[in-house]
Amino acid sequence: MKNNLLLLLGLVMFASCQPEKKKEIAPSPNIVLFFVDDMGWQDTSVPFWNKKTPFNERYITPNMERLAKEGMKFTQAYSTAVCSPTRVSLMTGMNAARHRVTNWTLKKDMLQPMEVNHKTLQFPEWNVNGMSPVEGDDKAVYATPLPQMLKDAGYFTIHSGKAHFGAIGTPGENPINLGFDVNIAGHAAGAPESYFGTENFGNGKEGKEVWAVPGLEQYHGKDIYLTEAITQEALKSLDTAVEKEQPFFLYMAHYAVHTPIMGDDRYLQEYLEKGMDSTEAKYASMVEGMDKSLGDIMDYLEREKMDENTIILFMSDNGGLSAVARGGEKHTHNKPLASGKGSAYEGGIREPMLVKWPGKVRPNSVTEEYLIIEDFYPTILEMAGVENPNVVQTIDGQSFLSLLSEKESNTAERALFWHYPNEWGPDGPGIGASSTVRKGDLKLIYFHEDQHFELFDLKTDIGETKNLASEHPEKVDELAKILSNHLRHVDAQMPSFKNTGEPVPFPDEITL
Ligand code: CA
């Protein structure tokens, strides 16, 4: 009798709690943001152009091919030309002109020598300290970081790899301060001193402390590549998320394929045997090691039966390096695109992007609609079901969920903006202080140093070989106004001339 009563009580409780609970809470999708460093638009066997190129034949990325088959390929996805502006836009939803982390960060409160020593331009006091989750930090942009929003929404948030969000000694240098529950190997620096476990990832090298990868002591002295180590650690953190029964956000931010170009021995030999230049063979092996990491994550999700409820976004933070450190001819590594990392041309900003979302995104689909890195912030929040996000910053990005579901878009009417009132370092085509707008197929670049314009029609001239500025002054005029209005609206910083102290004029102040 007593037992029956207990059973009845149990059944009543089960009936009253269980079904309701199921109805109320739709399972939040897990989100993997697979973010590669310095990977170019052509550094893959997946063609992102309308035809296969020799680069697509060179690189071996079977897991990117697998992801492309299972999801959507974006042929015109943009970041900015260098690391930090992209990463801060990603984590804040703000356009670089607004957040003012317009160049790469490292040292607190300091402009780097290449900026101070520029011959003719004085660069503005941009936010050299990066992003900050706390108000009032000098030379840092105060914003509510994406991982914090996801954590507050119930996600288990994992950072694995390169952070590079804030300068040394500032709150933004530590991913934990930005809302990540776990930080694997992330800190202020934007590159590793070494990719080799046998070299302790650069730890213990005198004078190189800034670049030594933190927190992977268990792999020191072992024959393991950095890409592999941070992937294995990321998968362990996914186990933790499963144990905690929380949805997860994995920010798998690879140090690869950034310099130093150090071969991944698991893959190097095959490229050397093809007769490739040794630097390029090493680079290709780093690309393939990165692709293996993607495959390991996809395998894990399938094995754990989580693949159906996990979104995977693949993206890179700037164009492929081509001005220095590469084998072969400079400025050619992203062809048909012009130039590479650091450049306002497509080679500096156009990225390989893929998105898989089972049940929502049509497998093997392609979109030619364009988007830009700050769009990831509102998109990911929408994916996570965060409505009306309460954040301290103004979000410039626009959700691309409508592109994923192949609904109508406003791409052709929408203008995208880049603003780089800075000096990167190396020289090359399109490299230097500039502001850029793209609207429809037309792209206008305004170079600050000599205030000249370049206008391109990307539909007919993807390689930006024919400057149409003198042929179509009316288009230059129209786009210069749109660009200047944006720059004024977000209170963008401009460089000034060292000889006069006068600021570089806005593009619409130039008489054609
Ligand atoms: Ca980068």
Side-chain angles (χ1 to χ4, degrees), residues 210-288:
V210 164
W211 305 100
V213 180
L216 296 171
E217 289 79 8
Q218 65 273 38
Y219 298 101
H220 287 189
K222 296 196 174 144
D223 184 14
I224 188 168
Y225 202 79
L226 177 57
T227 303
E228 179 68 27
I230 57 178
T231 304
Q232 287 187 17
E233 288 305 300
L235 295 182
K236 282 184 203 162
S237 285
L238 292 189
D239 285 341
T240 308
V242 172
E243 278 163 29
K244 286 174 171 285
E245 297 186 353
Q246 276 178 270
F248 61 78
F249 171 59
L250 169 60
Y251 178 55
M252 185 70 234
H254 279 289
Y255 278 96
V257 295
H258 195 291
T259 54
I261 297 176
M262 300 171 84
D264 188 331
D265 282 339
R266 297 172 295 176
Y267 306 105
L268 183 57
Q269 199 56 32
E270 60 188 316
Y271 297 101
L272 290 171
E273 279 167 13
K274 283 185 193 172
M276 278 171 64
D277 167 285
S278 71
T279 302
E280 290 306 285
K282 284 177 187 166
Y283 185 81
S285 75
M286 293 171 81
V287 170
E288 192 169 347

Side-chain angles (χ1 to χ4, degrees), residues 32-36 60-64 66-67 160-161 225-235 238 250-257 264 266-267 285-301 303 312 314:
V32 176
L33 176 49
F34 194 95
F35 206 59
V36 191
I60 302 173
T61 57
N63 294 295
M64 285 185 71
R66 174 179 165 196
L67 188 61
S160 187
Y225 202 79
L226 177 57
T227 303
E228 179 68 27
I230 57 178
T231 304
Q232 287 187 17
E233 288 305 300
L235 295 182
L238 292 189
L250 169 60
Y251 178 55
M252 185 70 234
H254 279 289
Y255 278 96
V257 295
D264 188 331
R266 297 172 295 176
Y267 306 105
S285 75
M286 293 171 81
V287 170
E288 192 169 347
M290 170 282 294
D291 183 80
K292 192 257 183 187
S293 164
L294 175 65
D296 287 348
I297 292 168
M298 293 174 77
D299 289 345
Y300 176 97
L301 296 171
R303 201 164 57 235
I312 304 177
F314 183 105

Side-chain angles (χ1 to χ4, degrees), residues 64-89:
M64 285 185 71
E65 290 176 33
R66 174 179 165 196
L67 188 61
K69 273 198 196 93
E70 295 175 11
M72 179 176 279
K73 175 164 81 176
F74 287 75
T75 63
Q76 304 201 74
Y78 290 106
S79 286
T80 75
V82 295
C83 293
S84 306
T86 285
R87 285 161 198 265
V88 172
S89 289

Side-chain angles (χ1 to χ4, degrees), residues 140-205:
V141 59
Y142 169 49
T144 311
L146 178 64
Q148 188 64 54
M149 293 298 293
L150 294 170
K151 183 176 175 166
D152 292 347
Y155 276 75
F156 186 67
T157 50
I158 305 158
H159 177 280
S160 187
K162 167 169 162 173
H164 204 198
F165 301 121
I168 298 165
T170 67
E173 79 171 318
N174 185 353
I176 299 292
N177 294 335
L178 303 178
F180 283 106
D181 290 308
V182 176
N183 172 29
I184 300 158
H187 64 154
E193 174 58 26
S194 171
Y195 279 97
F196 298 152
T198 50
E199 294 181 355
N200 306 331
F201 308 115
N203 287 276
K205 263 194 188 174

